[in-house]
Amino acid sequence: QFEDVSLFSHGGHTIHNHDCSVPSAYETVSDDGVQMIRRIGLNQALVCSSNTYFWRHALDFGLDRTFNAMDEIFGITAPIRTEINTLNPVEVEKDRLDYFFWGQDFNTSPVRLCSMYNLALSGEKYSPFYITSVRTPDDVEVYRAKPQPTQTFNDEKMKSLLRDSLAECFRSYCNYIDYSVYGAYSQH
């Protein structure tokens, strides 16, 4: 469990959670009435899409160190080569790392994002491909892609943590179907 706060300031910037004005999403309110606080773990941080949770962890670990670890695991700054094109790497200026961890200044393709999720969940990274199979008009398969992993991630504890946390997050999204623009959750 980690203390998650509704807003957090660092280096002249303030970041808010999307539910920062919804007292029912938090357990307590600070004495000055400005800050709301809750204790949550990784699963709930994903469900709540907590900006401050992940930013504060990145700050505690070190922004450069966190980015480098993510790059080492996910290959963020490497191009993705497919059989027909190359997807550009993510480029982040070191003085803009705060914005990277806020989800700004970080544009990635759906293909790269899927590749990152697959690596996090399965421990294997594949080069994307566009053609799965080719069939004749009478439905005879003449070609089937046989992708092989280009990278493996063998930290079983980390894979299990990520897999369980993301699975809990997705299950929670199915349970919380009434989401208002104010960030309040209603469980059904």
Side-chain angles (χ1 to χ4, degrees), residues 52-120:
T52 61
Y53 179 94
F54 295 104
W55 189 36
R56 289 173 67 203
H57 277 296
L59 286 171
D60 287 348
F61 193 62
L63 296 181
D64 282 335
R65 192 170 163 208
T66 303
F67 181 83
N68 291 339
M70 289 176 63
D71 190 29
E72 183 179 328
I73 294 169
F74 295 114
I76 296 170
T77 61
I80 295 178
R81 290 174 177 53
T82 71
E83 73 270 18
I84 60 173
N85 66 354
T86 299
L87 303 171
N88 292 333
V90 173
E91 295 178 11
V92 179
E93 301 293 326
K94 291 295 180 185
D95 63 336
R96 305 280 299 171
L97 276 179
D98 277 358
Y99 297 96
F100 170 81
F101 290 105
W102 297 346
Q104 301 172 5
D105 285 8
F106 174 57
N107 297 313
T108 188
S109 70
V111 171
R112 182 178 293 276
L113 191 58
C114 288
S115 178
M116 291 168 64
Y117 271 119
N118 186 68
L119 178 60

Side-chain angles (χ1 to χ4, degrees), residues 92-163:
V92 179
E93 301 293 326
K94 291 295 180 185
D95 63 336
R96 305 280 299 171
L97 276 179
D98 277 358
Y99 297 96
F100 170 81
F101 290 105
W102 297 346
Q104 301 172 5
D105 285 8
F106 174 57
N107 297 313
T108 188
S109 70
V111 171
R112 182 178 293 276
L113 191 58
C114 288
S115 178
M116 291 168 64
Y117 271 119
N118 186 68
L119 178 60
L121 293 172
S122 73
E124 296 180 334
K125 185 175 184 177
Y126 291 84
S127 292
F129 57 95
Y130 296 95
I131 300 172
T132 304
S133 68
V134 176
R135 296 183 168 282
T136 63
D138 55 344
D139 204 31
V140 174
E141 187 174 77
V142 294
Y143 168 79
R144 170 152 306 274
K146 296 179 178 90
Q148 298 297 315
T150 59
Q151 175 185 348
T152 56
F153 181 61
N154 294 317
D155 186 332
E156 289 303 319
K157 185 176 178 182
M158 182 61 75
K159 283 192 315 192
S160 176
L161 175 68
L162 289 169
R163 186 173 28 254

